[in-house]
Amino acid sequence: MSTEDLYATPVDVTKTWDVPMAGDSRFNWEYDNGRDRLLSLYQKGKDKQWDQVSRIDWSIEVDPYDSLGLPQEVMAIYGTPVWDKISEEQKKELGRHHAAWQFSQFLHGEQGAMICAARIVESVPDLDSKFYAATQTMDEARHAETYARFLQEKLGLVYPINDQLSKLLEETLRDSRWDMPYLGMQVLIEGLALAAFGMLRDITTKPLPKQILSYVMQDEARHVAFGRLALKDAYRDLTSKERDEREEFVVEACYLMRDRIRGKEVWGHVGLDEDECDSYVDDSDFMKMFRNQLFTRIVPIVKDIGLWGPKVQRAYADMGVLEMGDADLDALMKHDEDLAEQLDRDKKEAAEVERRITEIETTIAVGADQETVALAD
């Protein structure tokens, strides 16, 4: 079945979305020197490659109407007059559409990340960054492949790319400055994705999405570290004008990303009034918490790379996330990697227990057969 048949809103998949890109393709002839920390990250990127076919247990069944096992309180209209009057069937359908919308934006964002990583390979001046970005391009392809499979096989529903996400991707790719794919994708889009993935990973009660989110986050932690390291070095030498331009971009992008998680397009697909439902989003306790947590990775990175002028600080104060600038980024990233490794150990242990149980049951069955034969003789 073509993905075109699964879109909630008609999408002509035969047409591509073409974003004109400017800037130079840069070659570098120095093959020996490189930053040790970045080359170490590149080696880790090579060592940690994985295949969704074998690492993820796709045999796990998923209820498309309860794919994440989340409480009803996560819906922005929970407890409102609209929620009280809709049927249980509509609530179930809303759960399916909401999950499909979220994971569809993850999917489209991963394709955007793949293209941005390829753009970094092309435009960044130093070879060590080109090396790492090449491994990231493969990572992002794997992530897009994984989210597409989950949507197609488990939910059977896909949403088009959100307007705010497409706008940010377009602004990131159109810019001719070599550092903008880093700032737009590695810091802002990836940082937001890490926080969103992490929230869902920690609250989902379903094993398949927990696996998907955990393994993707293990990669994304490296990607954000890459952008942080590269930009921290590069931004030391910015002029005041150059720094102001990048801080302006950060502020605009953060407001854009905060507003993109409203999910307004979902309500109409389950027979609800989009404007009425959207009016409840800002007052939803869960949405307030979710929006706040979305910036747990972005704010400390922006501060760390040196884009911490008055305009940025005012914007973060307005969003209520300024204090996140003091978060321990290294601890957060290590936690993401450790959880994925622990999940692998748990799966291996469970498989070993299953193997031993099967072995014992086989031994008992063989013994019973032998005893039957002996009694017959």
PDB file of all heavy atoms in Angstrom, residues 286-322:
ATOM      1  N   PHE A 286      -1.534  19.533  30.902  1.00  0.00           N
ATOM      2  CA  PHE A 286      -0.529  18.672  30.290  1.00  0.00           C
ATOM      3  C   PHE A 286       0.257  19.432  29.227  1.00  0.00           C
ATOM      4  O   PHE A 286       1.480  19.300  29.137  1.00  0.00           O
ATOM      5  CB  PHE A 286      -1.167  17.428  29.671  1.00  0.00           C
ATOM      6  CG  PHE A 286      -0.165  16.531  28.986  1.00  0.00           C
ATOM      7  CD1 PHE A 286       0.600  15.644  29.729  1.00  0.00           C
ATOM      8  CD2 PHE A 286       0.024  16.589  27.612  1.00  0.00           C
ATOM      9  CE1 PHE A 286       1.553  14.834  29.116  1.00  0.00           C
ATOM     10  CE2 PHE A 286       0.961  15.773  26.984  1.00  0.00           C
ATOM     11  CZ  PHE A 286       1.723  14.894  27.737  1.00  0.00           C
ATOM     12  N   MET A 287      -0.455  20.216  28.408  1.00  0.00           N
ATOM     13  CA  MET A 287       0.220  20.947  27.345  1.00  0.00           C
ATOM     14  C   MET A 287       1.171  21.990  27.914  1.00  0.00           C
ATOM     15  O   MET A 287       2.248  22.237  27.353  1.00  0.00           O
ATOM     16  CB  MET A 287      -0.802  21.604  26.425  1.00  0.00           C
ATOM     17  CG  MET A 287      -1.568  20.617  25.551  1.00  0.00           C
ATOM     18  SD  MET A 287      -0.471  19.652  24.477  1.00  0.00           S
ATOM     19  CE  MET A 287       0.174  20.939  23.401  1.00  0.00           C
ATOM     20  N   LYS A 288       0.801  22.608  29.027  1.00  0.00           N
ATOM     21  CA  LYS A 288       1.713  23.565  29.678  1.00  0.00           C
ATOM     22  C   LYS A 288       2.995  22.863  30.107  1.00  0.00           C
ATOM     23  O   LYS A 288       4.107  23.369  29.903  1.00  0.00           O
ATOM     24  CB  LYS A 288       1.032  24.194  30.893  1.00  0.00           C
ATOM     25  CG  LYS A 288      -0.091  25.173  30.569  1.00  0.00           C
ATOM     26  CD  LYS A 288      -0.730  25.683  31.858  1.00  0.00           C
ATOM     27  CE  LYS A 288      -1.920  26.594  31.570  1.00  0.00           C
ATOM     28  NZ  LYS A 288      -2.591  27.018  32.822  1.00  0.00           N
ATOM     29  N   MET A 289       2.837  21.698  30.709  1.00  0.00           N
ATOM     30  CA  MET A 289       3.999  20.936  31.163  1.00  0.00           C
ATOM     31  C   MET A 289       4.820  20.440  29.976  1.00  0.00           C
ATOM     32  O   MET A 289       6.053  20.529  29.968  1.00  0.00           O
ATOM     33  CB  MET A 289       3.529  19.747  32.009  1.00  0.00           C
ATOM     34  CG  MET A 289       4.653  18.906  32.604  1.00  0.00           C
ATOM     35  SD  MET A 289       5.145  17.525  31.534  1.00  0.00           S
ATOM     36  CE  MET A 289       3.662  16.492  31.608  1.00  0.00           C
ATOM     37  N   PHE A 290       4.132  19.964  28.938  1.00  0.00           N
ATOM     38  CA  PHE A 290       4.807  19.437  27.759  1.00  0.00           C
ATOM     39  C   PHE A 290       5.624  20.527  27.068  1.00  0.00           C
ATOM     40  O   PHE A 290       6.787  20.332  26.710  1.00  0.00           O
ATOM     41  CB  PHE A 290       3.767  18.851  26.802  1.00  0.00           C
ATOM     42  CG  PHE A 290       4.356  18.105  25.639  1.00  0.00           C
ATOM     43  CD1 PHE A 290       5.184  17.016  25.840  1.00  0.00           C
ATOM     44  CD2 PHE A 290       4.072  18.482  24.334  1.00  0.00           C
ATOM     45  CE1 PHE A 290       5.729  16.318  24.771  1.00  0.00           C
ATOM     46  CE2 PHE A 290       4.607  17.787  23.259  1.00  0.00           C
ATOM     47  CZ  PHE A 290       5.434  16.703  23.478  1.00  0.00           C
ATOM     48  N   ARG A 291       5.012  21.683  26.886  1.00  0.00           N
ATOM     49  CA  ARG A 291       5.713  22.798  26.243  1.00  0.00           C
ATOM     50  C   ARG A 291       6.934  23.216  27.049  1.00  0.00           C
ATOM     51  O   ARG A 291       8.005  23.497  26.501  1.00  0.00           O
ATOM     52  CB  ARG A 291       4.775  23.998  26.107  1.00  0.00           C
ATOM     53  CG  ARG A 291       3.863  23.953  24.917  1.00  0.00           C
ATOM     54  CD  ARG A 291       2.992  25.189  24.901  1.00  0.00           C
ATOM     55  NE  ARG A 291       2.324  25.356  23.621  1.00  0.00           N
ATOM     56  CZ  ARG A 291       1.490  26.340  23.345  1.00  0.00           C
ATOM     57  NH1 ARG A 291       1.214  27.235  24.273  1.00  0.00           N
ATOM     58  NH2 ARG A 291       0.914  26.429  22.162  1.00  0.00           N
ATOM     59  N   ASN A 292       6.761  23.251  28.355  1.00  0.00           N
ATOM     60  CA  ASN A 292       7.870  23.645  29.204  1.00  0.00           C
ATOM     61  C   ASN A 292       9.036  22.663  29.075  1.00  0.00           C
ATOM     62  O   ASN A 292      10.191  23.065  28.938  1.00  0.00           O
ATOM     63  CB  ASN A 292       7.394  23.724  30.660  1.00  0.00           C
ATOM     64  CG  ASN A 292       8.465  24.266  31.593  1.00  0.00           C
ATOM     65  OD1 ASN A 292       9.285  23.528  32.092  1.00  0.00           O
ATOM     66  ND2 ASN A 292       8.430  25.565  31.813  1.00  0.00           N
ATOM     67  N   GLN A 293       8.713  21.376  29.074  1.00  0.00           N
ATOM     68  CA  GLN A 293       9.758  20.356  29.012  1.00  0.00           C
ATOM     69  C   GLN A 293      10.434  20.289  27.644  1.00  0.00           C
ATOM     70  O   GLN A 293      11.553  19.779  27.529  1.00  0.00           O
ATOM     71  CB  GLN A 293       9.159  18.991  29.359  1.00  0.00           C
ATOM     72  CG  GLN A 293       8.727  18.867  30.803  1.00  0.00           C
ATOM     73  CD  GLN A 293       9.878  19.091  31.769  1.00  0.00           C
ATOM     74  OE1 GLN A 293      10.909  18.449  31.674  1.00  0.00           O
ATOM     75  NE2 GLN A 293       9.697  20.015  32.700  1.00  0.00           N
ATOM     76  N   LEU A 294       9.770  20.791  26.614  1.00  0.00           N
ATOM     77  CA  LEU A 294      10.351  20.752  25.272  1.00  0.00           C
ATOM     78  C   LEU A 294      11.666  21.504  25.184  1.00  0.00           C
ATOM     79  O   LEU A 294      12.492  21.233  24.305  1.00  0.00           O
ATOM     80  CB  LEU A 294       9.367  21.331  24.247  1.00  0.00           C
ATOM     81  CG  LEU A 294       8.198  20.445  23.839  1.00  0.00           C
ATOM     82  CD1 LEU A 294       7.278  21.204  22.900  1.00  0.00           C
ATOM     83  CD2 LEU A 294       8.682  19.158  23.187  1.00  0.00           C
ATOM     84  N   PHE A 295      11.891  22.441  26.083  1.00  0.00           N
ATOM     85  CA  PHE A 295      13.081  23.277  25.994  1.00  0.00           C
ATOM     86  C   PHE A 295      14.187  22.839  26.948  1.00  0.00           C
ATOM     87  O   PHE A 295      15.177  23.542  27.118  1.00  0.00           O
ATOM     88  CB  PHE A 295      12.693  24.740  26.232  1.00  0.00           C
ATOM     89  CG  PHE A 295      11.870  25.316  25.117  1.00  0.00           C
ATOM     90  CD1 PHE A 295      10.484  25.268  25.145  1.00  0.00           C
ATOM     91  CD2 PHE A 295      12.483  25.873  23.999  1.00  0.00           C
ATOM     92  CE1 PHE A 295       9.724  25.770  24.098  1.00  0.00           C
ATOM     93  CE2 PHE A 295      11.740  26.380  22.949  1.00  0.00           C
ATOM     94  CZ  PHE A 295      10.357  26.328  22.996  1.00  0.00           C
ATOM     95  N   THR A 296      14.041  21.658  27.554  1.00  0.00           N
ATOM     96  CA  THR A 296      15.054  21.196  28.504  1.00  0.00           C
ATOM     97  C   THR A 296      16.407  20.978  27.842  1.00  0.00           C
ATOM     98  O   THR A 296      17.449  21.092  28.506  1.00  0.00           O
ATOM     99  CB  THR A 296      14.612  19.885  29.175  1.00  0.00           C
ATOM    100  OG1 THR A 296      14.282  18.913  28.159  1.00  0.00           O
ATOM    101  CG2 THR A 296      13.422  20.106  30.085  1.00  0.00           C
ATOM    102  N   ARG A 297      16.411  20.653  26.543  1.00  0.00           N
ATOM    103  CA  ARG A 297      17.692  20.430  25.856  1.00  0.00           C
ATOM    104  C   ARG A 297      18.150  21.687  25.112  1.00  0.00           C
ATOM    105  O   ARG A 297      19.346  21.949  25.026  1.00  0.00           O
ATOM    106  CB  ARG A 297      17.564  19.276  24.853  1.00  0.00           C
ATOM    107  CG  ARG A 297      16.946  17.994  25.395  1.00  0.00           C
ATOM    108  CD  ARG A 297      17.699  17.468  26.605  1.00  0.00           C
ATOM    109  NE  ARG A 297      17.052  16.304  27.183  1.00  0.00           N
ATOM    110  CZ  ARG A 297      17.417  15.062  26.936  1.00  0.00           C
ATOM    111  NH1 ARG A 297      18.403  14.829  26.089  1.00  0.00           N
ATOM    112  NH2 ARG A 297      16.807  14.041  27.514  1.00  0.00           N
ATOM    113  N   ILE A 298      17.210  22.441  24.570  1.00  0.00           N
ATOM    114  CA  ILE A 298      17.579  23.585  23.729  1.00  0.00           C
ATOM    115  C   ILE A 298      18.217  24.711  24.535  1.00  0.00           C
ATOM    116  O   ILE A 298      19.274  25.243  24.160  1.00  0.00           O
ATOM    117  CB  ILE A 298      16.337  24.114  22.987  1.00  0.00           C
ATOM    118  CG1 ILE A 298      15.837  23.083  21.974  1.00  0.00           C
ATOM    119  CG2 ILE A 298      16.660  25.429  22.274  1.00  0.00           C
ATOM    120  CD1 ILE A 298      14.566  23.489  21.270  1.00  0.00           C
ATOM    121  N   VAL A 299      17.585  25.096  25.643  1.00  0.00           N
ATOM    122  CA  VAL A 299      18.047  26.269  26.400  1.00  0.00           C
ATOM    123  C   VAL A 299      19.495  26.111  26.880  1.00  0.00           C
ATOM    124  O   VAL A 299      20.315  27.020  26.661  1.00  0.00           O
ATOM    125  CB  VAL A 299      17.091  26.578  27.569  1.00  0.00           C
ATOM    126  CG1 VAL A 299      17.606  27.762  28.379  1.00  0.00           C
ATOM    127  CG2 VAL A 299      15.689  26.880  27.041  1.00  0.00           C
ATOM    128  N   PRO A 300      19.867  24.994  27.513  1.00  0.00           N
ATOM    129  CA  PRO A 300      21.264  24.890  27.950  1.00  0.00           C
ATOM    130  C   PRO A 300      22.267  24.838  26.801  1.00  0.00           C
ATOM    131  O   PRO A 300      23.404  25.308  26.941  1.00  0.00           O
ATOM    132  CB  PRO A 300      21.300  23.593  28.767  1.00  0.00           C
ATOM    133  CG  PRO A 300      20.074  22.846  28.386  1.00  0.00           C
ATOM    134  CD  PRO A 300      19.061  23.864  28.007  1.00  0.00           C
ATOM    135  N   ILE A 301      21.855  24.293  25.649  1.00  0.00           N
ATOM    136  CA  ILE A 301      22.764  24.258  24.499  1.00  0.00           C
ATOM    137  C   ILE A 301      22.973  25.659  23.951  1.00  0.00           C
ATOM    138  O   ILE A 301      24.106  26.064  23.651  1.00  0.00           O
ATOM    139  CB  ILE A 301      22.214  23.336  23.395  1.00  0.00           C
ATOM    140  CG1 ILE A 301      22.123  21.894  23.890  1.00  0.00           C
ATOM    141  CG2 ILE A 301      23.107  23.384  22.160  1.00  0.00           C
ATOM    142  CD1 ILE A 301      21.425  20.958  22.931  1.00  0.00           C
ATOM    143  N   VAL A 302      21.885  26.404  23.806  1.00  0.00           N
ATOM    144  CA  VAL A 302      21.988  27.775  23.305  1.00  0.00           C
ATOM    145  C   VAL A 302      22.904  28.596  24.216  1.00  0.00           C
ATOM    146  O   VAL A 302      23.752  29.370  23.744  1.00  0.00           O
ATOM    147  CB  VAL A 302      20.592  28.427  23.204  1.00  0.00           C
ATOM    148  CG1 VAL A 302      20.700  29.922  22.957  1.00  0.00           C
ATOM    149  CG2 VAL A 302      19.780  27.768  22.087  1.00  0.00           C
ATOM    150  N   LYS A 303      22.763  28.414  25.515  1.00  0.00           N
ATOM    151  CA  LYS A 303      23.633  29.127  26.460  1.00  0.00           C
ATOM    152  C   LYS A 303      25.072  28.671  26.309  1.00  0.00           C
ATOM    153  O   LYS A 303      26.008  29.486  26.301  1.00  0.00           O
ATOM    154  CB  LYS A 303      23.144  28.883  27.889  1.00  0.00           C
ATOM    155  CG  LYS A 303      23.952  29.651  28.936  1.00  0.00           C
ATOM    156  CD  LYS A 303      23.391  29.429  30.340  1.00  0.00           C
ATOM    157  CE  LYS A 303      24.176  30.240  31.375  1.00  0.00           C
ATOM    158  NZ  LYS A 303      23.627  30.036  32.746  1.00  0.00           N
ATOM    159  N   ASP A 304      25.279  27.368  26.161  1.00  0.00           N
ATOM    160  CA  ASP A 304      26.623  26.811  26.102  1.00  0.00           C
ATOM    161  C   ASP A 304      27.392  27.262  24.856  1.00  0.00           C
ATOM    162  O   ASP A 304      28.606  27.456  24.912  1.00  0.00           O
ATOM    163  CB  ASP A 304      26.549  25.283  26.146  1.00  0.00           C
ATOM    164  CG  ASP A 304      27.912  24.644  26.332  1.00  0.00           C
ATOM    165  OD1 ASP A 304      28.599  24.989  27.314  1.00  0.00           O
ATOM    166  OD2 ASP A 304      28.301  23.806  25.495  1.00  0.00           O
ATOM    167  N   ILE A 305      26.700  27.426  23.730  1.00  0.00           N
ATOM    168  CA  ILE A 305      27.394  27.814  22.496  1.00  0.00           C
ATOM    169  C   ILE A 305      27.587  29.329  22.397  1.00  0.00           C
ATOM    170  O   ILE A 305      28.172  29.825  21.431  1.00  0.00           O
ATOM    171  CB  ILE A 305      26.670  27.284  21.232  1.00  0.00           C
ATOM    172  CG1 ILE A 305      25.277  27.887  21.106  1.00  0.00           C
ATOM    173  CG2 ILE A 305      26.627  25.768  21.231  1.00  0.00           C
ATOM    174  CD1 ILE A 305      24.527  27.448  19.841  1.00  0.00           C
ATOM    175  N   GLY A 306      27.078  30.053  23.381  1.00  0.00           N
ATOM    176  CA  GLY A 306      27.367  31.477  23.454  1.00  0.00           C
ATOM    177  C   GLY A 306      26.325  32.409  22.875  1.00  0.00           C
ATOM    178  O   GLY A 306      26.591  33.609  22.749  1.00  0.00           O
ATOM    179  N   LEU A 307      25.137  31.907  22.558  1.00  0.00           N
ATOM    180  CA  LEU A 307      24.076  32.779  22.050  1.00  0.00           C
ATOM    181  C   LEU A 307      23.144  33.130  23.207  1.00  0.00           C
ATOM    182  O   LEU A 307      21.983  32.714  23.259  1.00  0.00           O
ATOM    183  CB  LEU A 307      23.304  32.073  20.919  1.00  0.00           C
ATOM    184  CG  LEU A 307      24.122  31.682  19.695  1.00  0.00           C
ATOM    185  CD1 LEU A 307      23.228  31.049  18.628  1.00  0.00           C
ATOM    186  CD2 LEU A 307      24.858  32.883  19.109  1.00  0.00           C
ATOM    187  N   TRP A 308      23.648  33.927  24.132  1.00  0.00           N
ATOM    188  CA  TRP A 308      22.948  34.163  25.399  1.00  0.00           C
ATOM    189  C   TRP A 308      22.795  35.659  25.678  1.00  0.00           C
ATOM    190  O   TRP A 308      22.933  36.134  26.797  1.00  0.00           O
ATOM    191  CB  TRP A 308      23.699  33.463  26.532  1.00  0.00           C
ATOM    192  CG  TRP A 308      22.907  33.202  27.761  1.00  0.00           C
ATOM    193  CD1 TRP A 308      23.129  33.689  29.014  1.00  0.00           C
ATOM    194  CD2 TRP A 308      21.747  32.367  27.889  1.00  0.00           C
ATOM    195  NE1 TRP A 308      22.187  33.215  29.906  1.00  0.00           N
ATOM    196  CE2 TRP A 308      21.335  32.391  29.232  1.00  0.00           C
ATOM    197  CE3 TRP A 308      21.019  31.595  26.978  1.00  0.00           C
ATOM    198  CZ2 TRP A 308      20.224  31.694  29.703  1.00  0.00           C
ATOM    199  CZ3 TRP A 308      19.913  30.886  27.435  1.00  0.00           C
ATOM    200  CH2 TRP A 308      19.531  30.944  28.783  1.00  0.00           C
ATOM    201  N   GLY A 309      22.497  36.399  24.600  1.00  0.00           N
ATOM    202  CA  GLY A 309      22.314  37.826  24.751  1.00  0.00           C
ATOM    203  C   GLY A 309      20.974  38.180  25.374  1.00  0.00           C
ATOM    204  O   GLY A 309      20.125  37.305  25.618  1.00  0.00           O
ATOM    205  N   PRO A 310      20.725  39.466  25.629  1.00  0.00           N
ATOM    206  CA  PRO A 310      19.496  39.923  26.289  1.00  0.00           C
ATOM    207  C   PRO A 310      18.225  39.493  25.550  1.00  0.00           C
ATOM    208  O   PRO A 310      17.228  39.142  26.186  1.00  0.00           O
ATOM    209  CB  PRO A 310      19.646  41.442  26.302  1.00  0.00           C
ATOM    210  CG  PRO A 310      21.116  41.681  26.243  1.00  0.00           C
ATOM    211  CD  PRO A 310      21.678  40.592  25.398  1.00  0.00           C
ATOM    212  N   LYS A 311      18.251  39.522  24.227  1.00  0.00           N
ATOM    213  CA  LYS A 311      17.053  39.165  23.457  1.00  0.00           C
ATOM    214  C   LYS A 311      16.669  37.700  23.677  1.00  0.00           C
ATOM    215  O   LYS A 311      15.492  37.366  23.862  1.00  0.00           O
ATOM    216  CB  LYS A 311      17.289  39.433  21.971  1.00  0.00           C
ATOM    217  CG  LYS A 311      16.062  39.179  21.098  1.00  0.00           C
ATOM    218  CD  LYS A 311      16.334  39.514  19.645  1.00  0.00           C
ATOM    219  CE  LYS A 311      16.553  40.994  19.465  1.00  0.00           C
ATOM    220  NZ  LYS A 311      16.697  41.390  18.050  1.00  0.00           N
ATOM    221  N   VAL A 312      17.662  36.826  23.670  1.00  0.00           N
ATOM    222  CA  VAL A 312      17.406  35.398  23.904  1.00  0.00           C
ATOM    223  C   VAL A 312      16.914  35.187  25.326  1.00  0.00           C
ATOM    224  O   VAL A 312      15.933  34.447  25.556  1.00  0.00           O
ATOM    225  CB  VAL A 312      18.684  34.569  23.641  1.00  0.00           C
ATOM    226  CG1 VAL A 312      18.497  33.133  24.109  1.00  0.00           C
ATOM    227  CG2 VAL A 312      19.033  34.598  22.162  1.00  0.00           C
ATOM    228  N   GLN A 313      17.555  35.823  26.277  1.00  0.00           N
ATOM    229  CA  GLN A 313      17.152  35.630  27.673  1.00  0.00           C
ATOM    230  C   GLN A 313      15.741  36.155  27.932  1.00  0.00           C
ATOM    231  O   GLN A 313      14.971  35.534  28.681  1.00  0.00           O
ATOM    232  CB  GLN A 313      18.159  36.313  28.603  1.00  0.00           C
ATOM    233  CG  GLN A 313      19.531  35.648  28.590  1.00  0.00           C
ATOM    234  CD  GLN A 313      20.433  36.183  29.678  1.00  0.00           C
ATOM    235  OE1 GLN A 313      20.044  36.282  30.843  1.00  0.00           O
ATOM    236  NE2 GLN A 313      21.663  36.544  29.312  1.00  0.00           N
ATOM    237  N   ARG A 314      15.389  37.263  27.298  1.00  0.00           N
ATOM    238  CA  ARG A 314      14.016  37.797  27.455  1.00  0.00           C
ATOM    239  C   ARG A 314      12.993  36.811  26.880  1.00  0.00           C
ATOM    240  O   ARG A 314      11.922  36.600  27.476  1.00  0.00           O
ATOM    241  CB  ARG A 314      13.893  39.159  26.771  1.00  0.00           C
ATOM    242  CG  ARG A 314      14.476  40.317  27.559  1.00  0.00           C
ATOM    243  CD  ARG A 314      13.974  41.656  27.017  1.00  0.00           C
ATOM    244  NE  ARG A 314      14.312  41.840  25.614  1.00  0.00           N
ATOM    245  CZ  ARG A 314      15.444  42.412  25.193  1.00  0.00           C
ATOM    246  NH1 ARG A 314      16.343  42.833  26.081  1.00  0.00           N
ATOM    247  NH2 ARG A 314      15.673  42.555  23.897  1.00  0.00           N
ATOM    248  N   ALA A 315      13.307  36.242  25.733  1.00  0.00           N
ATOM    249  CA  ALA A 315      12.387  35.292  25.103  1.00  0.00           C
ATOM    250  C   ALA A 315      12.187  34.068  25.987  1.00  0.00           C
ATOM    251  O   ALA A 315      11.056  33.603  26.181  1.00  0.00           O
ATOM    252  CB  ALA A 315      12.915  34.880  23.731  1.00  0.00           C
ATOM    253  N   TYR A 316      13.270  33.554  26.539  1.00  0.00           N
ATOM    254  CA  TYR A 316      13.155  32.371  27.392  1.00  0.00           C
ATOM    255  C   TYR A 316      12.459  32.690  28.713  1.00  0.00           C
ATOM    256  O   TYR A 316      11.740  31.847  29.267  1.00  0.00           O
ATOM    257  CB  TYR A 316      14.537  31.757  27.639  1.00  0.00           C
ATOM    258  CG  TYR A 316      15.098  31.032  26.419  1.00  0.00           C
ATOM    259  CD1 TYR A 316      16.462  30.915  26.213  1.00  0.00           C
ATOM    260  CD2 TYR A 316      14.247  30.454  25.483  1.00  0.00           C
ATOM    261  CE1 TYR A 316      16.976  30.252  25.106  1.00  0.00           C
ATOM    262  CE2 TYR A 316      14.741  29.802  24.377  1.00  0.00           C
ATOM    263  CZ  TYR A 316      16.110  29.699  24.182  1.00  0.00           C
ATOM    264  OH  TYR A 316      16.599  29.038  23.096  1.00  0.00           O
ATOM    265  N   ALA A 317      12.653  33.888  29.195  1.00  0.00           N
ATOM    266  CA  ALA A 317      11.935  34.303  30.402  1.00  0.00           C
ATOM    267  C   ALA A 317      10.442  34.381  30.111  1.00  0.00           C
ATOM    268  O   ALA A 317       9.600  33.968  30.926  1.00  0.00           O
ATOM    269  CB  ALA A 317      12.460  35.648  30.891  1.00  0.00           C
ATOM    270  N   ASP A 318      10.087  34.899  28.935  1.00  0.00           N
ATOM    271  CA  ASP A 318       8.690  34.986  28.518  1.00  0.00           C
ATOM    272  C   ASP A 318       8.058  33.600  28.402  1.00  0.00           C
ATOM    273  O   ASP A 318       6.886  33.411  28.734  1.00  0.00           O
ATOM    274  CB  ASP A 318       8.591  35.718  27.175  1.00  0.00           C
ATOM    275  CG  ASP A 318       7.178  35.777  26.637  1.00  0.00           C
ATOM    276  OD1 ASP A 318       6.294  36.292  27.343  1.00  0.00           O
ATOM    277  OD2 ASP A 318       6.954  35.297  25.504  1.00  0.00           O
ATOM    278  N   MET A 319       8.839  32.636  27.961  1.00  0.00           N
ATOM    279  CA  MET A 319       8.342  31.258  27.831  1.00  0.00           C
ATOM    280  C   MET A 319       8.377  30.505  29.155  1.00  0.00           C
ATOM    281  O   MET A 319       7.841  29.402  29.260  1.00  0.00           O
ATOM    282  CB  MET A 319       9.200  30.491  26.818  1.00  0.00           C
ATOM    283  CG  MET A 319       9.133  31.023  25.400  1.00  0.00           C
ATOM    284  SD  MET A 319      10.183  30.009  24.306  1.00  0.00           S
ATOM    285  CE  MET A 319      10.266  31.069  22.859  1.00  0.00           C
ATOM    286  N   GLY A 320       9.027  31.081  30.150  1.00  0.00           N
ATOM    287  CA  GLY A 320       9.119  30.429  31.452  1.00  0.00           C
ATOM    288  C   GLY A 320      10.145  29.324  31.517  1.00  0.00           C
ATOM    289  O   GLY A 320      10.034  28.397  32.330  1.00  0.00           O
ATOM    290  N   VAL A 321      11.197  29.408  30.672  1.00  0.00           N
ATOM    291  CA  VAL A 321      12.183  28.321  30.616  1.00  0.00           C
ATOM    292  C   VAL A 321      13.617  28.824  30.839  1.00  0.00           C
ATOM    293  O   VAL A 321      14.576  28.079  30.625  1.00  0.00           O
ATOM    294  CB  VAL A 321      12.097  27.573  29.266  1.00  0.00           C
ATOM    295  CG1 VAL A 321      10.736  26.908  29.113  1.00  0.00           C
ATOM    296  CG2 VAL A 321      12.381  28.507  28.088  1.00  0.00           C
ATOM    297  N   LEU A 322      13.767  30.067  31.261  1.00  0.00           N
ATOM    298  CA  LEU A 322      15.100  30.654  31.380  1.00  0.00           C
ATOM    299  C   LEU A 322      15.991  29.853  32.330  1.00  0.00           C
ATOM    300  O   LEU A 322      17.190  29.686  32.073  1.00  0.00           O
ATOM    301  CB  LEU A 322      14.989  32.104  31.866  1.00  0.00           C
ATOM    302  CG  LEU A 322      16.309  32.874  32.010  1.00  0.00           C
ATOM    303  CD1 LEU A 322      16.982  33.036  30.649  1.00  0.00           C
ATOM    304  CD2 LEU A 322      16.057  34.246  32.642  1.00  0.00           C
TER     305      LEU A 322
END
